[in-house]
Amino acid sequence: MGVFILKNKNLSILNTEYSRFSENALEKLNQLARIDNVNADRNFLIKNISKYDIIFIALNNIIDEVIITRAKKLKCIVTPTTGLDHIDVNFAKKKNIDILSLKDEVKFLENITSTAEHSWALLLSIVRDLISANSDVVYNKNWVRDHFYGNELQNKTLGIAGYGRLGKIISRYAKAFGMSVIVFDKNKNLKESSVEFVSLEALAKRSDFITIHLSLNNETKCIFDKNIFSPVSYTHLTLPTICSV
């Protein structure tokens, strides 16, 4: 990817994610170029993308060939994500559009734990049946604890699909909760003594819980399908999958 330097008041920026920016960050952007802060949907992009040199997006919009074809001036797409499946990267390259993202920003991402923490919050909320219990209290004014018994994580097996940055953080959380960890990763050369590496089929068969941290692409799309789970006896599975990429 090329490096795109902002310092031109003639440049026009569409920031579709301005609510994520601090006032200080927005002020700095305004000093560099002309910026429109718009909560843009697809219709807005189709009608207006031709006006902009740069667009800031996250995951709310798909920047596909339809959008890029209309983006006659577009020079750069900026996205604060590691995955790029919401952007037609190949078509953007054909149009000489740079893409700036967090992909491969390993050092910066080492200290970002929000996605892993959210994954663990989902696991805890499901295993303890918190959503149903909370809804029963809030909407039905009930407090019947016997209706919402949960399960313990201690001594259970967590299967981690994808042992990159997020998978390693999740592994640490699991061990802190007294769980065993097994791992599937596409990189067959990965080695770590604290976890057991297994096939995808073994992961599905042996795990009490599965958390998914694989980048979404043609190779990983639908990687967990009925063929993976059909031989599995679900009687031992408290939770088949928790998705987090």
Side-chain angles (χ1 to χ4, degrees):
M1 300 291 179
V3 176
F4 194 88
I5 299 175
L6 287 172
K7 203 166 184 181
N8 186 342
K9 275 292 185 179
N10 293 321
L11 290 175
S12 57
I13 301 174
L14 174 61
N15 186 358
T16 69
E17 297 292 331
Y18 63 93
S19 62
R20 297 171 177 261
F21 286 67
S22 66
E23 289 186 10
N24 184 47
L26 289 173
E27 185 179 339
K28 287 182 177 179
L29 278 177
N30 280 321
Q31 292 171 2
L32 295 171
R34 184 176 65 80
I35 183 166
D36 290 338
N37 297 309
V38 180
N39 187 20
D41 58 13
R42 185 171 180 82
N43 287 334
F44 181 91
L45 293 181
I46 288 174
K47 292 177 182 177
N48 296 282
I49 192 65
S50 61
K51 304 175 187 175
Y52 296 100
D53 300 285
I54 303 165
I55 182 171
F56 285 62
I57 61 162
L59 299 174
N60 289 335
N61 285 296
I62 304 297
I63 307 302
D64 55 14
E65 186 171 338
V66 173
I67 299 295
I68 294 172
T69 299
R70 287 165 169 75
K72 303 298 184 184
K73 295 173 58 181
L74 198 63
K75 301 174 181 67
C76 186
I77 300 168
V78 183
T79 177
T81 61
T82 53
L84 298 175
D85 51 285
H86 57 303
I87 301 170
D88 189 330
V89 174
N90 292 329
F91 194 69
K93 285 180 179 178
K94 286 181 183 178
K95 295 295 183 179
N96 296 316
I97 298 171
D98 282 337
I99 299 174
L100 302 184
S101 73
L102 295 178
K103 186 176 176 63
D104 299 324
E105 294 292 335
V106 177
K107 281 203 168 237
F108 172 77
L109 291 169
E110 279 177 356
N111 297 315
I112 306 299
T113 60
S114 56
T115 301
E117 290 176 10
H118 184 66
S119 299
W120 206 256
L122 292 176
L123 175 56
L124 287 173
S125 68
I126 294 174
V127 77
R128 304 306 304 179
D129 209 3
L130 294 183
I131 296 173
S132 298
N134 180 71
S135 296
D136 198 41
V137 172
V138 171
Y139 299 110
N140 299 325
K141 310 304 179 186
N142 289 330
W143 170 241
V144 187
R145 61 183 298 175
D146 292 347
H147 290 179
F148 301 104
Y149 283 124
N151 285 284
E152 293 181 344
L153 295 180
Q154 185 169 268
N155 298 322
K156 299 295 195 307
T157 297
L158 178 69
I160 300 175
Y163 202 59
R165 176 181 65 92
L166 293 174
K168 289 181 173 69
I169 297 172
I170 290 292
S171 177
R172 295 203 303 267
Y173 295 169
K175 290 168 190 172
F177 275 77
M179 302 183 76
S180 299
V181 176
I182 58 176
V183 170
F184 164 77
D185 195 274
K186 295 179 295 178
N187 183 356
K188 305 300 182 184
N189 296 319
L190 276 180
K191 293 181 180 179
E192 188 174 313
S193 58
S194 60
V195 298
E196 180 186 356
F197 289 88
V198 299
S199 67
L200 191 63
E201 292 75 15
L203 192 86
K205 185 175 182 179
R206 292 173 51 190
S207 299
D208 295 292
F209 311 94
I210 297 173
T211 180
I212 305 172
H213 304 282
L214 298 164
S215 297
L216 181 60
N217 52 43
N218 290 334
E219 187 180 352
T220 59
K221 189 174 182 180
C222 299
I223 193 170
F224 284 94
D225 57 15
K226 64 181 180 181
N227 295 322
I228 291 295
F229 287 111
S230 57
V232 177
S233 170
Y234 281 93
T235 55
H236 79 291
L237 284 174
T238 308
L239 179 68
T241 60
I242 297 174
C243 293
S244 179
V245 176

